[in-house]
Amino acid sequence: MLGGGSFTAQNKILPGAYINFVSAASSVAVLSDRGTAAIPLEFGWGPEKEAFIVTAQDYQERCQEIFGYPADAPQMWMIRELFRNLTKGIFYRLNAGVKAACDYGQARYSGVRGKDLTLVVSANVDDSTKFDVRTLLDRKEVDHQTVAAATELTDNRYVVFKKDATLAATAGMPFNGGTDGDAVTGEDYARFLAKMESHTFQTLCCPSMDDAVKAVFAEYTKRMRDEAGVKFQTVMYRNAGADYEGIISVENKAAEQEQGLVYWTTGAQAACAVNKTNENRVYDGELTVDVDYTQGQLSAGVRSGKFMFHRVSDDVRVLMDINTLTTFTEEKGEDFSGNQTVRVLDQIGNDIASMFNTKYLGIMPNDDAGRVSLWNDIVTYNKELARLRAIEAVEAKEITVGRGNSKRSVVVNCPVTPINCMSQLYMTVVVS
């Protein structure tokens, strides 16, 4: 019998055909999706002290199940502001209070929203030994079960039933005692930030007005960007002194909630494409924006690193898509103050790191062939960015991948020039 099968080394004894089937190496040029933000909330419903993910589709189809309120409820304004642009939100409820309850059940989550629940128990018209148990929220039915005893009840999205209760007909048993809990502290925000270290997002929302909390968010952003290599930007209210490309400081007040514009800005920044800018973008939210600024104040605000809105005819628009970086160095010039530049560089950093970690780390040998493969992937990725007009075209020969100081390391040099959208027009008209 002849030998056969696959081979690792050319050391077979028997004659035969030894054939390996492998896929041709393919270059990757996949840009990671944008549109994800991390948001801490003080709310009257929802999972307490844990992260939960909501996509734009979830929000559209199951808003009340998730947040406890329909999308058009007054309590939902900040969620609406976010999802005008957001494709995915990583939410975290900061507060935890008391769960509302009645004799037959307890609200699934703590908060004042639980007090809007009512249970209605009535005899079943077809079987007198059974009961119809209806869960109402704002007097609208959200669940209906027919059971012989409480032990048969299945917990629903809003109520955890008391299985040891004795069912009896009732016209309506309201829930009582639900509270939102104590005021949120800096510790609550710190726990939120710790939870976010295991998630991936483009923007982080800081809705707090407390300077100490804003300082914690700023330090967290710097540590994650500069030490952990996790690239995102944090949106907060009036902290232009941060002087850092990772911090966006919203300057304008909103009448409904002073710092309310951080929510729309968080969503808009997260969802902005790598080859786009938010500059001159129309604010399409529902807040009343204070745009009472002179041209001099707007110019001074831009020089100070403030993200500002201004009025153009009947519209409220973003003045310039900038962050708080105002101190420029040889390593970080003025270009780094523009969020479009930062978006491009962050996208490259995150995508190349992801590609290396999934395709090369612990998998690809660090030899000439392995480094050529990595070089080819990086070149292909940069060509895709150039095709999207996010960066200037890169000469392949300018990108280098070499062996590092150890057998396990590689050193990559990848010069890029981000492209920005047109912002200023200087034109001379010669009249003859």
Side-chain angles (χ1 to χ4, degrees), residues 77-96:
W77 69 267
M78 72 286 287
I79 311 298
R80 290 194 293 272
E81 291 284 296
L82 287 160
F83 277 110
R84 288 187 183 277
N85 297 286
L86 211 59
T87 57
K88 183 169 71 174
I90 305 167
F91 292 93
Y92 179 96
R93 188 178 168 204
L94 297 160
N95 58 307

Side-chain angles (χ1 to χ4, degrees), residues 195-247:
K195 289 277 189 180
M196 291 305 104
E197 291 199 21
S198 60
H199 292 274
T200 301
F201 45 87
Q202 284 77 49
T203 54
L204 173 66
C205 180
C206 175
S208 177
M209 292 274 283
D210 188 296
D211 288 339
V213 171
K214 288 190 278 188
V216 169
F217 271 75
E219 288 304 315
Y220 175 85
T221 305
K222 291 176 182 178
R223 177 174 65 84
M224 295 300 290
R225 287 181 63 89
D226 298 342
E227 297 177 21
V230 180
K231 306 300 186 183
F232 60 86
Q233 290 181 291
T234 296
V235 179
M236 57 181 65
Y237 179 68
R238 292 194 173 179
N239 192 28
D243 194 11
Y244 184 65
E245 71 273 13
I247 303 295

Side-chain angles (χ1 to χ4, degrees), residues 3-285:
S6 61
F7 67 92
T8 301
Q10 298 176 32
N11 57 358
K12 304 298 185 183
I13 304 299
L14 295 177
Y18 300 90
I19 303 172
N20 286 346
F21 292 90
V22 297
S23 297
S26 59
S27 299
V28 293
V30 179
L31 273 71
S32 58
D33 291 333
R34 293 186 59 83
T36 302
I39 309 104
L41 287 176
E42 292 185 59
F43 216 59
W45 187 260
E48 305 97 342
K49 312 289 187 180
E50 65 178 79
F52 58 100
I53 294 173
V54 182
T55 66
Q57 183 175 351
D58 293 333
Y59 167 69
Q60 292 166 4
E61 297 176 356
R62 301 188 299 110
C63 181
Q64 182 168 273
E65 290 182 11
I66 298 167
F67 293 105
Y69 295 93
D72 60 352
Q75 295 86 349
M76 290 291 295
W77 69 267
M78 72 286 287
I79 311 298
R80 290 194 293 272
E81 291 284 296
L82 287 160
F83 277 110
R84 288 187 183 277
N85 297 286
L86 211 59
T87 57
K88 183 169 71 174
I90 305 167
F91 292 93
Y92 179 96
R93 188 178 168 204
L94 297 160
N95 58 307
V98 176
K99 296 179 180 180
C102 70
D103 291 346
Y104 294 149
Q106 185 179 62
R108 179 169 289 278
Y109 304 115
S110 68
V112 295
R113 182 55 165 166
K115 294 192 289 187
D116 297 324
L117 289 164
T118 304
L119 286 181
V120 177
V121 182
S122 57
N124 183 265
V125 294
D126 298 319
D127 187 343
S128 60
T129 66
K130 293 185 177 181
F131 294 92
D132 292 327
V133 181
R134 299 163 59 221
T135 303
L136 308 183
L137 180 62
D138 283 337
R139 298 185 295 279
K140 295 179 182 177
E141 184 178 301
V142 292
D143 183 62
H144 188 154
Q145 300 181 47
T146 301
V147 297
T151 54
E152 298 178 12
L153 287 168
T154 301
D155 299 339
N156 59 46
R157 289 276 187 177
Y158 306 95
V159 176
V160 176
F161 290 100
K162 297 178 180 179
K163 307 301 191 296
D164 58 351
T166 301
L167 295 178
T170 172
M173 187 172 288
F175 282 56
N176 297 296
T179 68
D180 288 346
D182 297 331
V184 170
T185 66
E187 238 177 74
D188 296 315
Y189 281 107
R191 281 194 285 268
F192 157 71
L193 292 175
K195 289 277 189 180
M196 291 305 104
E197 291 199 21
S198 60
H199 292 274
T200 301
F201 45 87
Q202 284 77 49
T203 54
L204 173 66
C205 180
C206 175
S208 177
M209 292 274 283
D210 188 296
D211 288 339
V213 171
K214 288 190 278 188
V216 169
F217 271 75
E219 288 304 315
Y220 175 85
T221 305
K222 291 176 182 178
R223 177 174 65 84
M224 295 300 290
R225 287 181 63 89
D226 298 342
E227 297 177 21
V230 180
K231 306 300 186 183
F232 60 86
Q233 290 181 291
T234 296
V235 179
M236 57 181 65
Y237 179 68
R238 292 194 173 179
N239 192 28
D243 194 11
Y244 184 65
E245 71 273 13
I247 303 295
I248 298 170
S249 175
V250 178
E251 179 66 15
N252 301 65
K253 293 180 182 179
E256 294 79 0
Q257 185 183 87
E258 183 173 339
Q259 75 276 29
L261 286 166
V262 298
Y263 295 105
W264 184 90
T265 305
T266 293
Q269 292 292 345
C272 190
V274 69
N275 58 349
K276 302 293 183 182
T277 180
N278 284 311
E279 185 168 313
N280 201 39
R281 185 168 183 177
V282 174
Y283 169 70
D284 58 355

Side-chain angles (χ1 to χ4, degrees), residues 252-400:
N252 301 65
K253 293 180 182 179
E256 294 79 0
Q257 185 183 87
E258 183 173 339
Q259 75 276 29
L261 286 166
V262 298
Y263 295 105
W264 184 90
T265 305
T266 293
Q269 292 292 345
C272 190
V274 69
N275 58 349
K276 302 293 183 182
T277 180
N278 284 311
E279 185 168 313
N280 201 39
R281 185 168 183 177
V282 174
Y283 169 70
D284 58 355
E286 59 192 74
L287 300 180
T288 306
V289 183
D290 179 8
V291 288
D292 188 18
Y293 294 96
T294 65
Q295 291 294 309
Q297 289 172 323
L298 292 173
S299 296
V302 168
R303 289 194 296 270
S304 300
K306 297 175 181 178
F307 185 93
M308 301 183 73
F309 296 81
H310 68 136
R311 183 169 298 284
V312 181
S313 298
D314 294 331
D315 294 329
V316 172
R317 293 178 179 265
V318 175
L319 178 61
M320 290 183 67
D321 193 1
I322 59 173
N323 53 65
T324 61
L325 184 68
T326 55
T327 302
F328 307 123
T329 65
E330 288 188 7
E331 289 185 350
K332 292 181 181 179
E334 188 175 354
D335 286 348
F336 280 76
S337 66
N339 290 328
Q340 187 171 0
T341 294
V342 174
R343 267 191 294 276
V344 171
L345 298 179
D346 285 359
Q347 186 90 27
I348 293 172
N350 288 335
D351 287 351
I352 297 298
S354 176
M355 177 186 68
F356 180 80
N357 292 339
T358 55
K359 186 176 178 181
Y360 291 90
L361 194 155
I363 300 171
M364 184 69 71
N366 189 9
D367 56 8
D368 286 342
R371 290 190 291 272
V372 166
S373 178
L374 176 59
W375 174 87
N376 194 42
D377 280 342
I378 294 173
V379 169
T380 303
Y381 176 83
N382 277 271
K383 285 182 177 179
E384 177 64 12
L385 284 178
R387 186 190 68 80
L388 294 173
R389 300 167 73 186
I391 63 172
E392 300 284 359
V394 178
E395 290 285 341
K397 63 183 180 182
E398 294 178 351
I399 298 174
T400 62

